[in-house]
Amino acid sequence: MASFFDKLRARAEAVDSLLCVGLDPHQSELEEDSAEGAFKFCAKLIEETKDVAAGYKPNAAFFEAYGTPGADALERVLKLIPKDIPIVLDAKRGDIGSTSEAYARAAFETLACDSVTVSPYLGGDACAPFLKDPTKGVWVLCKTSNPGSADLQTMEVVGGKPLYLHVADLCCNTWAKEHNNAGLVVGATDVEALRRVRAELPHVWFLSPGVGAQGADLSAGPPPGGPPRRPA
């Protein structure tokens, strides 16, 4: 069976695009402040981008805010996404093993998403439940796009390198070594971090948020992080 990253590469090559469309139904942008309003917002976005999207990234929080109707709206949104387009559930999960097992089951079985964003800061045992299915992908938070990312992620660790490089190495070369099914969240707002992580991990996929409202600018060309080189 093909891996998540096989599916992602096939889609990216088919549409000649690396665009991952965020499905973030912000309350202020909805015509109707309701779960139905969130659904309609996302449905319109999917319809307008389905010919160029390499992937879709629904943000779970905006649906959870509407309770049970929001959960239903998220499931309806997921069903609108064409089957050949990979889905990234943006939920930033991470907890002790048994809880991560439940989170993984929710993302991959209940919602049938192809991949999920995960926090690495509880360690390898917390990420392991997400990584055990070789057909599913995990996007580990590495150097995020928000200004506060520098509070922790750029701190120097043993050896003098920033924490985000340690996370990248540990995740991709140790935790995900069995199936090679981890990618990294490296924000497009930090070009230097993109360069440094890509230099160390040339074959790993990046999810690089931050273009638009968060200030990343593609006018000078794509960020230096990707796409990854094919393994030899």
Side-chain angles (χ1 to χ4, degrees), residues 174-186:
T174 301
W175 300 345
K177 185 177 181 179
E178 181 178 3
H179 302 306
N180 293 315
N181 57 338
L184 297 170
V185 178
V186 186

Side-chain angles (χ1 to χ4, degrees), residues 98-189:
S98 59
T99 307
S100 280
E101 288 275 3
Y103 278 140
R105 196 164 66 247
F108 297 145
E109 297 178 22
T110 304
L111 295 176
C113 292
D114 301 294
S115 66
V116 64
T117 56
V118 169
S119 171
Y121 290 103
L122 269 74
D125 59 332
C127 292
F130 300 97
L131 292 162
K132 68 180 181 180
D133 185 341
T135 69
K136 300 297 185 180
V138 177
W139 298 98
V140 178
L141 303 182
C142 176
K143 178 60 173 69
T144 55
S145 57
N146 59 305
S149 66
D151 292 347
L152 294 175
Q153 296 164 18
T154 59
M155 292 176 63
E156 287 191 0
V157 295
V158 176
K161 65 182 180 181
L163 178 60
Y164 70 80
L165 281 182
H166 178 69
V167 167
D169 174 62
L170 187 62
C171 168
C172 296
N173 292 326
T174 301
W175 300 345
K177 185 177 181 179
E178 181 178 3
H179 302 306
N180 293 315
N181 57 338
L184 297 170
V185 178
V186 186
T189 50

Side-chain angles (χ1 to χ4, degrees), residues 8 17-24 49 52-58 85-88 115 139 206-209:
L8 177 57
S17 171
L18 292 173
L19 176 66
C20 181
V21 178
L23 300 176
D24 305 306
T49 60
V52 296
Y56 283 102
K57 183 173 68 69
I85 304 181
I87 298 173
V88 180
S115 66
W139 298 98
F206 290 175
L207 178 64
S208 296

